[in-house]
């Protein structure tokens, strides 16, 4: 992996399995939930992406079983994937913070150096929709 930003589908897939291993259908559901319905992964696209992420050693097969004659795998974030996702989350937070600062939405003293206390995607989205793009703890 290089220093380029992750493509959104990759970011969403890695995020979907960051807290727990999931099988393909559950990953697709999580991606849709995380993206608030903006991203719906088709089966072929999802499994192609999972194979690519396996090759890049960003994810690993957590468990494999046969259910009703079909192979069913669950996937987990690999250590390298955890590092890449953490770096991308930090990059996105810095970018969002700078955008907030430049828009003048952070109040007095908002700057790139201040942290997003209690930052979470859900709280950020909620405050952004209300016109306040900064999360106050």
């Amino acid at each position: 992996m290089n220093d380029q930003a992750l493509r959104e589908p990759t970011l969403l897939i890695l995020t979907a399995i960051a807290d727990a291993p999931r099988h393909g259908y559950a990953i697709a559901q999580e991606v849709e939930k995380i993206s608030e319905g903006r991203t719906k992964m088709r089966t072929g696209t999802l499994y192609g992406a999972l194979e690519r992420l396996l090759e890049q050693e960003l994810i690993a097969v957590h468990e494999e079983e046969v259910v009703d004659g079909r192979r069913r795998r669950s996937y987990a974030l690999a250590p390298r994937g955890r590092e890449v996702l953490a770096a991308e989350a930090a990059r996105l937070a810095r970018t969002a913070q700078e955008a907030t600062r430049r828009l003048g939405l952070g109040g007095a003293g908002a700057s790139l150096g201040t942290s997003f206390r209690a930052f979470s995607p859900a709280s950020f989205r909620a405050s952004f929709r209300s016109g306040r793009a900064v999360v106050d703890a």
Side-chain angles (χ1 to χ4, degrees), residues 30-108:
E30 284 295 305
V31 164
E32 189 171 346
K33 180 180 170 185
I34 293 164
S35 70
E36 298 179 322
R38 289 184 325 271
T39 302
K40 296 178 183 181
M41 301 211 70
R42 295 176 188 221
T43 304
T45 302
L46 174 63
Y47 285 100
L50 291 172
E51 286 302 315
R52 179 179 49 80
L53 295 172
L54 281 168
E55 289 172 11
Q56 294 173 342
E57 299 179 346
L58 297 177
I59 66 172
V61 174
H62 174 72
E63 189 174 81
E64 191 169 5
E65 62 184 341
V66 176
V67 177
D68 295 329
R70 299 180 74 192
R71 183 177 71 180
R72 180 174 168 167
R73 287 181 168 178
S74 62
Y75 301 89
L77 206 53
R80 184 164 179 258
R82 186 166 297 283
E83 291 172 13
V84 167
L85 182 58
E88 183 69 358
R91 185 192 70 76
L92 290 169
R94 287 189 307 271
T95 302
Q97 188 174 22
E98 182 63 7
T100 298
R101 184 189 70 78
R102 290 177 183 222
L103 287 167
L105 300 174

Side-chain angles (χ1 to χ4, degrees), residues 97 101 106-115 117:
Q97 188 174 22
R101 184 189 70 78
S111 72
L112 188 57
T114 59
S115 64
R117 296 179 318 269

